[in-house]
Amino acid sequence: MLKRNRKKWLIAGGGGLVLLAVILVALFQWPAHQFTLDVNPSLRITTNRMGQVIDIEALNSDGGQFLEGYEPPGRNLEVVINDLVDRMILTGHISGGRDNIVMITVDSEELDSKYLEKVNEAIAAFLQNRELEYRILNQGVTDLESEDRENQQEILEEVSPGKQALIRKLMEEDETLTPEEFDEISLGDLLRLAGEMNLSPNELFARIIGSDTGDDEQESSEPRDDYMPRDELDIVRGWDFAINAALEAVGGGMVVSFEYDQDEEYEVEILYNGYRYEIEMNAYTAEILEMEREADDQAEEYLAEQEHLIGWIQAVEIAEEEIGGGQVMELEYNLEDGEYKMEIRYHDTDYDIEMNAYTGEILEIDPEPGDDRNGERDPSHDQEEVIGEAMASELALEEIGGGTVMEFEYDRDDGIYEMEIKYEGYEYEITMDAYTGDIIEFERDEDDDYREGEDEEVVIGMDRAVEIAKERIGGGVVIEFEYDMDDGEYEMEIKYDGNEYDVKIDAYTGEILDFDD
């Protein structure tokens, strides 16, 4: 009798152990949560019920390249997220000097979950620590419901579920759009297109968290009146992405110089097979605009030394760790000195760095990190947006009491607006902080050319003229504006998507008289 009872207990105990093992497997191996992370690499991350990462999957070719050779540093969700974001910084997908956009897509039922909150906080904390501008966009999706949507999913094989959800919203807004038009489209381009369709991020996403909002969450609401799509969302390709694209175009070689110029272009010099290649690229698309080749007697000598150098990736990483971050403006390798020379912009300061190209030792850095930058723009502006020409002119006119804006110029380097306004026989020259709207300088002189009744002349005004020009271009930032009273014309220069547009408009009718891109 005792033996039978003992046997029953053993069987029951064994069954309990099996059940416990099944529960443990369920906790640690079965998927419980999933989200997609889109920067431009698109990744799907799966976690178990314990919040541990059990799978990371690439959803597009960029994601595949990004994950090639990658080994997660464990299974903790925050640790893995930090490591992935850090890898994106190292590969140039996230960088300083631009608005970095991270889109997180979850099942609609998890939009208000602590799980999503944990993901948002991990990404935001890491980017804040690196002092990088960012916006985290949250959206929820449900399963594709109709056969049409299934067909759309098949067509867009290289598009993540998060991007597909965004594409569906755009196609619902404009029925002329087709899935094929979105093949291999980047997240930045999708958001730019949404801006051109007058769809603000607040209309498209359930939550927006960003450095430009003081890390406050913005719930979905009516579009902002001051929404400026292209100005906010233009994204410059990383320097390393540009270099790799240039090397691919040449077929290989060694990069000896790189420059990011004020025309929103990259200039790259490569030595390969006895030639020096000079390449100009669009900084937004990495499209090669011009490539020249000429024989170079030193090419082979440079290439023979290349394998002994630490390389640009490691050199920039060392420099940015010393400074704290930044955007690469210039790179140059000097064979005779065996040195890398770099210019990196961080917090409105240009750091000139000389480094031993063999060891990575920093030989000279000017200015030293932490030096006082007297006379330079307040670095707290780095993560702010300019107030825009419309608000600037409105504030200036309010200060004066009325008038006509004759000239307007945006000095990007100094972060200021300069305006000339005429009103009631006087000329006003105003310098304004482009970020705060504070008036820095204010001068008034008599207008020698003033004629009776000119204040009553009915012109469309600067705001309407700029609006007409931007509608023609698709968006942009006003760099210069001038009202030619004698000819009755507005002349302006607008920068948009890396290009500069000169536009001339009839000041009375709004007709575009001349358009030069």
Side-chain angles (χ1 to χ4, degrees):
M1 183 73 174
L2 288 172
K3 288 183 178 179
R4 281 202 300 270
N5 287 339
R6 186 180 301 164
K7 187 174 182 180
K8 288 179 182 178
W9 281 108
L10 288 171
I11 293 171
L17 289 173
V18 171
L19 179 60
L20 178 61
V22 170
I23 292 172
L24 289 174
V25 169
L27 285 173
F28 288 97
Q29 297 297 329
W30 288 357
H33 303 282
Q34 247 182 20
F35 68 92
T36 64
L37 186 153
D38 289 285
V39 175
N40 202 35
S42 295
L43 309 175
R44 179 187 284 120
I45 299 173
T46 305
T47 61
N48 59 24
R49 294 184 181 278
M50 303 295 290
Q52 295 180 324
V53 176
I54 58 176
D55 187 46
I56 305 173
E57 178 187 0
L59 299 177
N60 60 1
S61 57
D62 282 351
Q65 293 173 7
F66 175 78
L67 288 180
E68 188 173 352
Y70 176 70
E71 289 293 334
R75 301 178 67 182
N76 179 275
L77 179 59
E78 288 93 338
V79 172
V80 172
I81 286 176
N82 286 350
D83 196 57
L84 288 171
V85 175
D86 189 49
R87 188 175 176 88
M88 288 180 181
I89 293 171
L90 291 176
T91 54
H93 294 100
I94 294 177
S95 67
R98 74 182 194 198
D99 183 11
N100 296 291
I101 302 169
V102 180
M103 183 169 72
I104 305 296
T105 305
V106 296
D107 188 278
S108 297
E109 296 178 357
E110 291 199 326
L111 271 175
D112 297 319
S113 68
K114 291 184 177 179
Y115 176 78
L116 178 58
E117 185 178 342
K118 182 186 291 185
V119 173
N120 286 331
E121 287 176 353
I123 296 173
F126 190 88
L127 293 177
Q128 284 174 18
N129 188 50
R130 288 297 188 96
E131 297 186 339
L132 294 171
E133 295 182 28
Y134 68 91
R135 277 185 297 165
I136 303 171
L137 312 176
N138 289 170
Q139 68 171 342
V141 298
T142 54
D143 292 335
L144 298 175
E145 298 168 354
S146 67
E147 185 177 344
D148 289 340
R149 289 186 176 181
E150 289 176 5
N151 292 336
Q152 178 184 321
Q153 189 178 31
E154 290 175 7
I155 292 170
L156 302 174
E157 292 180 348
E158 280 285 297
V159 179
S160 70
K163 287 184 184 176
Q164 287 194 40
L166 190 54
I167 288 168
R168 287 201 298 274
K169 294 172 186 175
L170 300 184
M171 291 177 65
E172 288 168 3
E173 186 72 20
D174 184 350
E175 296 179 355
T176 65
L177 295 173
T178 61
E180 290 84 350
E181 295 178 63
F182 298 98
D183 188 32
E184 298 184 356
I185 192 169
S186 71
L187 176 58
D189 286 337
L190 273 175
L191 294 174
R192 280 194 284 271
L193 177 58
E196 291 166 7
M197 296 168 66
N198 292 321
L199 292 172
S200 76
N202 288 332
E203 294 178 276
L204 299 171
F205 299 98
R207 185 181 294 107
I208 303 172
I209 305 167
S211 54
D212 57 343
T213 62
D215 303 319
D216 294 331
E217 295 183 0
Q218 301 177 5
E219 297 297 333
S220 179
S221 61
E222 293 298 314
R224 303 196 317 269
D225 291 335
D226 61 345
Y227 178 61
M228 296 175 65
R230 215 34 119 140
D231 302 346
E232 292 181 359
L233 299 174
D234 276 338
I235 298 178
V236 176
R237 289 283 192 176
W239 66 272
D240 52 343
F241 183 96
I243 281 176
N244 287 333
L247 287 169
E248 186 176 338
V250 170
M254 176 183 185
V255 174
V256 292
S257 76
F258 167 92
E259 183 178 355
Y260 174 38
D261 68 21
Q262 297 302 313
D263 294 328
E264 312 296 348
E265 292 178 1
Y266 288 136
E267 297 177 0
V268 186
E269 288 190 13
I270 295 175
L271 293 176
Y272 185 56
N273 278 351
Y275 291 92
R276 179 181 294 266
Y277 294 81
E278 296 182 358
I279 301 170
E280 292 184 6
M281 309 173 70
N282 184 303
Y284 294 90
T285 65
E287 175 191 0
I288 293 178
L289 306 174
E290 186 177 341
M291 182 162 65
E292 297 180 357
R293 186 184 79 164
E294 62 179 17
D296 192 300
D297 296 336
Q298 284 191 298
E300 295 307 320
E301 189 178 353
Y302 270 81
L303 289 166
E305 204 65 24
Q306 184 175 11
E307 63 179 294
H308 305 297
L309 309 178
I310 62 172
W312 285 121
I313 296 290
Q314 187 177 348
V316 171
E317 184 180 345
I318 292 170
E320 289 186 343
E321 283 181 0
E322 180 71 19
I323 297 168
Q327 180 181 11
V328 174
M329 305 302 290
E330 292 184 27
L331 303 172
E332 184 180 352
Y333 168 57
N334 188 305
L335 177 65
E336 294 179 2
D337 297 336
E339 294 177 2
Y340 287 136
K341 296 182 180 179
M342 294 171 265
E343 181 184 315
I344 297 179
R345 179 168 295 170
Y346 186 55
H347 278 183
D348 270 352
T349 298
D350 290 337
Y351 292 89
D352 293 317
I353 300 166
E354 293 183 9
M355 179 182 296
N356 186 309
Y358 298 90
T359 66
E361 178 190 357
I362 294 177
L363 306 173
E364 186 176 342
I365 181 168
D366 182 36
E368 287 289 336
D371 280 359
D372 183 26
R373 298 185 292 274
N374 291 326
E376 295 199 9
R377 186 167 63 83
D378 186 347
S380 66
H381 290 333
D382 286 351
Q383 294 182 342
E384 300 175 8
E385 296 171 7
V386 294
I387 61 175
E389 75 283 340
M391 177 62 73
S393 61
E394 181 181 338
L395 291 173
L397 292 170
E398 283 180 2
E399 181 70 20
I400 294 170
T404 301
V405 178
M406 305 300 295
E407 293 184 20
F408 177 95
E409 184 174 352
Y410 171 33
D411 187 327
R412 188 189 295 262
D413 292 334
D414 293 335
I416 59 174
Y417 293 128
E418 296 176 328
M419 289 168 271
E420 181 184 311
I421 296 174
K422 285 191 173 189
Y423 184 55
E424 294 185 345
Y426 290 93
E427 285 183 345
Y428 297 83
E429 293 185 1
I430 296 176
T431 302
M432 179 181 293
D433 188 304
Y435 295 85
T436 65
D438 292 339
I439 293 177
I440 301 169
E441 291 184 18
F442 184 97
E443 295 182 7
R444 188 182 81 160
D445 295 308
E446 289 189 6
D447 182 3
D448 296 333
D449 299 325
Y450 179 75
R451 61 179 186 271
E452 199 70 34
E454 75 175 35
D455 291 327
E456 283 75 43
E457 289 184 355
V458 183
V459 292
I460 62 173
M462 175 181 172
D463 289 351
R464 178 56 185 151
V466 169
E467 183 181 352
I468 291 169
K470 285 187 176 182
E471 285 175 359
R472 171 69 178 272
I473 296 169
V477 177
V478 175
I479 305 300
E480 291 185 23
F481 176 93
E482 184 176 352
Y483 172 33
D484 187 329
M485 187 175 289
D486 293 334
D487 294 337
E489 296 174 355
Y490 294 123
E491 298 176 2
M492 64 196 86
E493 178 186 319
I494 296 178
K495 183 170 287 189
Y496 178 61
D497 198 16
N499 297 314
E500 291 183 357
Y501 298 83
D502 294 318
V503 185
K504 188 179 291 185
I505 290 177
D506 188 301
Y508 297 92
T509 66
E511 177 188 357
I512 295 178
L513 305 174
D514 191 20
F515 184 88
D516 182 13
D517 59 353

